[in-house]
mmCIF file of all heavy atoms in Angstrom:
data_model
loop_
_atom_site.group_PDB
_atom_site.id
_atom_site.type_symbol
_atom_site.label_atom_id
_atom_site.label_comp_id
_atom_site.label_asym_id
_atom_site.label_seq_id
_atom_site.Cartn_x
_atom_site.Cartn_y
_atom_site.Cartn_z
ATOM 1 N N LEU M 297 -22.615 3.598 28.236
ATOM 2 C CA LEU M 297 -21.593 3.335 29.250
ATOM 3 C C LEU M 297 -21.991 2.139 30.107
ATOM 4 O O LEU M 297 -21.148 1.297 30.453
ATOM 5 C CB LEU M 297 -21.401 4.578 30.120
ATOM 6 C CG LEU M 297 -20.427 4.459 31.298
ATOM 7 C CD1 LEU M 297 -19.019 4.138 30.812
ATOM 8 C CD2 LEU M 297 -20.434 5.732 32.127
ATOM 9 N N PHE M 298 -23.266 2.038 30.432
ATOM 10 C CA PHE M 298 -23.729 0.962 31.309
ATOM 11 C C PHE M 298 -23.560 -0.419 30.682
ATOM 12 O O PHE M 298 -23.595 -1.444 31.385
ATOM 13 C CB PHE M 298 -25.210 1.180 31.675
ATOM 14 C CG PHE M 298 -26.160 0.919 30.536
ATOM 15 C CD1 PHE M 298 -26.761 -0.327 30.380
ATOM 16 C CD2 PHE M 298 -26.450 1.917 29.614
ATOM 17 C CE1 PHE M 298 -27.635 -0.565 29.330
ATOM 18 C CE2 PHE M 298 -27.326 1.686 28.559
ATOM 19 C CZ PHE M 298 -27.923 0.443 28.413
ATOM 20 N N GLN M 299 -23.352 -0.463 29.359
ATOM 21 C CA GLN M 299 -23.204 -1.741 28.673
ATOM 22 C C GLN M 299 -21.782 -2.286 28.711
ATOM 23 O O GLN M 299 -21.550 -3.432 28.328
ATOM 24 C CB GLN M 299 -23.631 -1.582 27.210
ATOM 25 C CG GLN M 299 -25.091 -1.205 27.018
ATOM 26 C CD GLN M 299 -25.399 -0.845 25.575
ATOM 27 O OE1 GLN M 299 -24.835 0.110 25.027
ATOM 28 N NE2 GLN M 299 -26.278 -1.611 24.946
ATOM 29 N N ARG M 300 -20.844 -1.463 29.156
ATOM 30 C CA ARG M 300 -19.434 -1.854 29.083
ATOM 31 C C ARG M 300 -18.934 -2.487 30.371
ATOM 32 O O ARG M 300 -19.548 -2.360 31.427
ATOM 33 C CB ARG M 300 -18.583 -0.626 28.733
ATOM 34 C CG ARG M 300 -18.939 -0.029 27.381
ATOM 35 C CD ARG M 300 -18.038 1.142 27.033
ATOM 36 N NE ARG M 300 -18.805 2.118 26.243
ATOM 37 C CZ ARG M 300 -18.668 3.416 26.300
ATOM 38 N NH1 ARG M 300 -17.751 3.944 27.106
ATOM 39 N NH2 ARG M 300 -19.416 4.202 25.564
ATOM 40 N N ASP M 301 -17.765 -3.106 30.266
ATOM 41 C CA ASP M 301 -17.181 -3.805 31.410
ATOM 42 C C ASP M 301 -16.395 -2.869 32.330
ATOM 43 O O ASP M 301 -16.043 -3.264 33.445
ATOM 44 C CB ASP M 301 -16.238 -4.915 30.934
ATOM 45 C CG ASP M 301 -16.978 -6.025 30.214
ATOM 46 O OD1 ASP M 301 -18.171 -6.242 30.522
ATOM 47 O OD2 ASP M 301 -16.371 -6.672 29.347
ATOM 48 N N THR M 302 -16.082 -1.661 31.864
ATOM 49 C CA THR M 302 -15.278 -0.753 32.670
ATOM 50 C C THR M 302 -15.810 0.668 32.594
ATOM 51 O O THR M 302 -16.324 1.087 31.554
ATOM 52 C CB THR M 302 -13.805 -0.768 32.214
ATOM 53 O OG1 THR M 302 -13.051 0.168 33.011
ATOM 54 C CG2 THR M 302 -13.666 -0.368 30.748
ATOM 55 N N TYR M 303 -15.685 1.386 33.701
ATOM 56 C CA TYR M 303 -16.013 2.812 33.752
ATOM 57 C C TYR M 303 -14.730 3.652 33.815
ATOM 58 O O TYR M 303 -14.803 4.871 33.795
ATOM 59 C CB TYR M 303 -16.867 3.118 34.993
ATOM 60 C CG TYR M 303 -18.349 2.893 34.825
ATOM 61 C CD1 TYR M 303 -18.846 1.891 33.992
ATOM 62 C CD2 TYR M 303 -19.272 3.682 35.521
ATOM 63 C CE1 TYR M 303 -20.211 1.681 33.855
ATOM 64 C CE2 TYR M 303 -20.642 3.474 35.391
ATOM 65 C CZ TYR M 303 -21.102 2.468 34.559
ATOM 66 O OH TYR M 303 -22.455 2.261 34.429
ATOM 67 N N THR M 304 -13.591 3.008 33.936
ATOM 68 C CA THR M 304 -12.344 3.752 34.141
ATOM 69 C C THR M 304 -11.428 3.692 32.923
ATOM 70 O O THR M 304 -10.219 3.852 33.040
ATOM 71 C CB THR M 304 -11.601 3.220 35.377
ATOM 72 O OG1 THR M 304 -11.334 1.821 35.197
ATOM 73 C CG2 THR M 304 -12.422 3.435 36.637
ATOM 74 N N GLY M 305 -12.009 3.494 31.768
ATOM 75 C CA GLY M 305 -11.240 3.496 30.525
ATOM 76 C C GLY M 305 -12.191 3.403 29.356
ATOM 77 O O GLY M 305 -13.382 3.104 29.528
ATOM 78 N N ILE M 306 -11.683 3.683 28.174
ATOM 79 C CA ILE M 306 -12.474 3.585 26.950
ATOM 80 C C ILE M 306 -11.814 2.533 26.066
ATOM 81 O O ILE M 306 -10.794 2.807 25.412
ATOM 82 C CB ILE M 306 -12.568 4.952 26.248
ATOM 83 C CG1 ILE M 306 -13.341 5.928 27.142
ATOM 84 C CG2 ILE M 306 -13.233 4.829 24.875
ATOM 85 C CD1 ILE M 306 -13.478 7.331 26.569
ATOM 86 N N PRO M 307 -12.349 1.316 26.061
ATOM 87 C CA PRO M 307 -11.722 0.230 25.301
ATOM 88 C C PRO M 307 -11.519 0.553 23.822
ATOM 89 O O PRO M 307 -10.521 0.123 23.230
ATOM 90 C CB PRO M 307 -12.700 -0.930 25.500
ATOM 91 C CG PRO M 307 -13.334 -0.665 26.824
ATOM 92 C CD PRO M 307 -13.494 0.827 26.870
ATOM 93 N N ALA M 308 -12.442 1.298 23.218
ATOM 94 C CA ALA M 308 -12.276 1.651 21.801
ATOM 95 C C ALA M 308 -11.012 2.467 21.587
ATOM 96 O O ALA M 308 -10.314 2.311 20.582
ATOM 97 C CB ALA M 308 -13.497 2.416 21.300
ATOM 98 N N SER M 309 -10.694 3.349 22.531
ATOM 99 C CA SER M 309 -9.462 4.146 22.437
ATOM 100 C C SER M 309 -8.236 3.255 22.537
ATOM 101 O O SER M 309 -7.253 3.449 21.816
ATOM 102 C CB SER M 309 -9.411 5.193 23.554
ATOM 103 O OG SER M 309 -10.402 6.181 23.383
ATOM 104 N N ARG M 310 -8.286 2.290 23.424
ATOM 105 C CA ARG M 310 -7.142 1.389 23.606
ATOM 106 C C ARG M 310 -6.896 0.567 22.344
ATOM 107 O O ARG M 310 -5.753 0.421 21.903
ATOM 108 C CB ARG M 310 -7.386 0.476 24.804
ATOM 109 C CG ARG M 310 -7.486 1.240 26.123
ATOM 110 C CD ARG M 310 -7.743 0.324 27.305
ATOM 111 N NE ARG M 310 -7.917 1.109 28.524
ATOM 112 C CZ ARG M 310 -8.145 0.588 29.726
ATOM 113 N NH1 ARG M 310 -8.223 -0.725 29.864
ATOM 114 N NH2 ARG M 310 -8.301 1.374 30.786
ATOM 115 N N ARG M 311 -7.981 0.054 21.756
ATOM 116 C CA ARG M 311 -7.823 -0.726 20.528
ATOM 117 C C ARG M 311 -7.305 0.144 19.388
ATOM 118 O O ARG M 311 -6.450 -0.277 18.598
ATOM 119 C CB ARG M 311 -9.157 -1.376 20.158
ATOM 120 C CG ARG M 311 -9.563 -2.504 21.090
ATOM 121 C CD ARG M 311 -10.724 -3.298 20.507
ATOM 122 N NE ARG M 311 -11.981 -2.551 20.602
ATOM 123 C CZ ARG M 311 -12.809 -2.628 21.640
ATOM 124 N NH1 ARG M 311 -12.511 -3.392 22.674
ATOM 125 N NH2 ARG M 311 -13.938 -1.957 21.640
ATOM 126 N N ALA M 312 -7.836 1.359 19.287
ATOM 127 C CA ALA M 312 -7.397 2.273 18.230
ATOM 128 C C ALA M 312 -5.921 2.611 18.387
ATOM 129 O O ALA M 312 -5.162 2.637 17.408
ATOM 130 C CB ALA M 312 -8.239 3.550 18.256
ATOM 131 N N ALA M 313 -5.494 2.869 19.617
ATOM 132 C CA ALA M 313 -4.096 3.216 19.865
ATOM 133 C C ALA M 313 -3.168 2.056 19.553
ATOM 134 O O ALA M 313 -2.111 2.235 18.918
ATOM 135 C CB ALA M 313 -3.914 3.660 21.311
ATOM 136 N N GLU M 314 -3.554 0.869 19.969
ATOM 137 C CA GLU M 314 -2.721 -0.307 19.695
ATOM 138 C C GLU M 314 -2.508 -0.496 18.201
ATOM 139 O O GLU M 314 -1.396 -0.776 17.738
ATOM 140 C CB GLU M 314 -3.362 -1.552 20.311
ATOM 141 C CG GLU M 314 -3.294 -1.592 21.833
ATOM 142 C CD GLU M 314 -4.166 -2.701 22.426
ATOM 143 O OE1 GLU M 314 -4.772 -3.452 21.622
ATOM 144 O OE2 GLU M 314 -4.237 -2.804 23.664
ATOM 145 N N SER M 315 -3.575 -0.327 17.423
ATOM 146 C CA SER M 315 -3.466 -0.488 15.967
ATOM 147 C C SER M 315 -2.597 0.598 15.351
ATOM 148 O O SER M 315 -1.776 0.321 14.464
ATOM 149 C CB SER M 315 -4.862 -0.459 15.332
ATOM 150 O OG SER M 315 -5.654 -1.533 15.779
ATOM 151 N N ALA M 316 -2.774 1.831 15.813
ATOM 152 C CA ALA M 316 -1.990 2.938 15.260
ATOM 153 C C ALA M 316 -0.509 2.794 15.588
ATOM 154 O O ALA M 316 0.353 3.015 14.731
ATOM 155 C CB ALA M 316 -2.525 4.266 15.791
ATOM 156 N N TYR M 317 -0.199 2.424 16.828
ATOM 157 C CA TYR M 317 1.201 2.223 17.209
ATOM 158 C C TYR M 317 1.833 1.086 16.408
ATOM 159 O O TYR M 317 2.974 1.186 15.949
ATOM 160 C CB TYR M 317 1.312 1.905 18.699
ATOM 161 C CG TYR M 317 0.989 3.045 19.636
ATOM 162 C CD1 TYR M 317 0.329 2.804 20.849
ATOM 163 C CD2 TYR M 317 1.351 4.354 19.343
ATOM 164 C CE1 TYR M 317 0.036 3.834 21.727
ATOM 165 C CE2 TYR M 317 1.057 5.390 20.219
ATOM 166 C CZ TYR M 317 0.399 5.127 21.408
ATOM 167 O OH TYR M 317 0.111 6.151 22.277
#
Side-chain angles (χ1 to χ4, degrees):
L297 176 61
F298 72 94
Q299 297 171 299
R300 298 183 213 145
D301 294 332
T302 178
Y303 275 32
T304 58
I306 295 179
S309 292
R310 296 179 184 181
R311 289 192 286 270
E314 289 169 2
S315 297
Y317 291 144

